[in-house]
C-alpha cells in the first residue's frame, strides 16, 4: 500500500506570517461586525477558540464546541451569529490574500503525488469553517477543484484539533489507513510533528531556510527541509523507503 500524505496548510503549503495574518484577520472581522458586537467580539472569539482547541470530546464537533460557548458569551443565538461570519468569509476575508504567497513547490508537489497515486489529506488545524480553508487553498495554488483530496479538515468535520493525537486518529480512521502507512508534513513541531510521532506516523518537518534545530534529540523527524526539498525526496523514492 502506498503511504497516505497528510499536508498542513499554513506555513507548509502556503507562505504566510501567521502573526501578521491573524492580526489583520481579527481587525477585519471586528470592523465587519455590527456596532453592538464589536467591543465583545474578539475577546469572546479568542476565548471560545481556546476552549475549542482544548476540547477533544469525540462526541462533539469542533464547530459545536465553539458555537455553544461563543453564543453564550455573546448573549446571542448561534443562528443570529453564524450568518455574519458566513458573510465575512464570502465578502471580506478574501482581502487577506494580499498577506500570503503561493509556494512554487506546492502545485508541483500536489501534481506529483496525484500522478503517482498517493492519497492526500489537507491536515490543517480545524479551527475555521470550510469556506475559510477553501480560500486559503486557492491562495496556495491548491484549490479543492484542482486536486482529488481524500479529506480536508475543518471545524465542521473534526472532533479534535491539533495538537491532540485524537485529531490524527480521526483522520486515519475516516480514510482507512494505519499510522504506519501515513506521513505527516508540517511546519509546527508541537502541532504537527509530536502528535504524529506519538502515533507512529512518519514525519517531515518543514523548516525555514538554513534549517531549524530539533527541540528534542530523542524525537527526530524522518526528514526536514523545505517543501521543494520534500518534493525532491519524494521523486527519489523516499516515501517508499520510510
Amino acid at each position: 500500500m502506498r503511504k497516505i500524505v497528510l499536508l498542513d496548510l499554513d506555513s507548509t503549503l502556503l507562505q504566510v506570517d501567521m502573526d501578521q495574518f491573524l492580526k489583520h484577520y481579527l481587525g477585519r472581522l471586528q470592523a465587519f461586525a455590527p456596532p453592538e458586537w464589536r467591543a465583545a467580539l474578539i475577546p469572546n472569539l479568542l476565548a471560545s477558540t481556546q476552549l475549542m482547541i482544548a476540547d477533544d470530546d469525540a462526541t462533539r464537533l469542533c464547530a459545536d464546541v465553539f458555537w455553544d460557548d461563543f453564543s453564550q458569551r455573546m448573549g446571542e443565538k448561534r443562528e443570529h451569529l453564524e450568518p455574519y461570519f458566513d458573510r465575512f468569509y464570502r465578502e471580506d476575508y478574501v482581502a487577506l490574500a494580499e498577506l500570503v504567497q503561493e509556494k512554487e513547490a506546492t502545485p508541483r508537489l500536489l501534481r506529483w503525488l496525484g500522478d503517482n497515486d498517493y492519497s492526500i489529506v489537507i491536515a490543517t488545524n480545524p479551527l475555521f469553517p470550510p469556506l475559510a480553508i477553501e480560500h486559503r487553498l486557492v491562495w496556495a495554488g491548491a484549490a479543492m477543484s484542482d486536486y482529488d483530496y481524500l479529506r480536508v479538515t475543518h471545524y465542521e468535520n473534526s472532533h479534535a484539533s491539533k495538537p491532540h493525537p485524537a485529531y490524527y486518529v480521526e483522520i486515519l480512521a475516516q480514510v482507512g489507513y494505519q499510522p504506519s502507512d501515513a506521513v505527516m508534513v508540517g511546519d509546527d513541531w508541537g502541532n504537527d510533528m509530536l502528535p504524529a510521532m506519538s502515533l507512529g506516523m512518519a514525519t517531515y518537518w518543514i523548516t525555514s531556510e538554513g534549517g531549524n534545530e530539533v527541540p528534542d534529540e530523542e524525537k527526530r523527524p524522518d526528514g526536514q527541509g523545505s517543501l521543494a526539498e520534500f518534493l525532491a525526496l519524494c521523486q527519489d523514492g523516499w516515501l517508499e523507503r520510510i
Side-chain angles (χ1 to χ4, degrees), residues 171-202:
I171 291 174
L172 296 177
Q174 288 284 342
V175 298
Y177 280 77
Q178 296 298 315
S180 57
D181 296 319
V183 182
M184 178 62 202
V185 181
D187 70 292
D188 192 290
W189 183 257
N191 279 338
D192 301 321
M193 298 295 98
L194 290 183
M197 288 179 192
S198 76
L199 297 172
M201 297 168 63

Side-chain angles (χ1 to χ4, degrees), residues 11-76:
S11 301
T12 297
L13 297 181
L14 181 65
Q15 189 65 46
V16 56
D17 180 329
M18 283 307 297
D19 289 338
Q20 283 297 310
F21 184 88
L22 289 173
K23 176 183 175 181
H24 286 270
Y25 161 72
L26 294 173
R28 297 192 77 94
L29 190 65
Q30 186 176 46
F32 195 80
E36 64 272 20
W37 291 355
R38 287 178 188 161
L41 183 73
I42 300 307
N44 289 337
L45 176 87
L46 294 175
S48 297
T49 299
Q50 287 303 311
L51 181 68
M52 176 170 53
I53 292 170
D55 189 275
D56 64 347
D57 183 345
T59 68
R60 301 180 71 203
L61 288 168
C62 292
D64 293 334
V65 173
F66 173 82
W67 282 109
D68 287 351
D69 187 71
F70 184 64
S71 60
Q72 183 176 5
R73 290 176 184 274
M74 291 293 292
E76 296 276 358

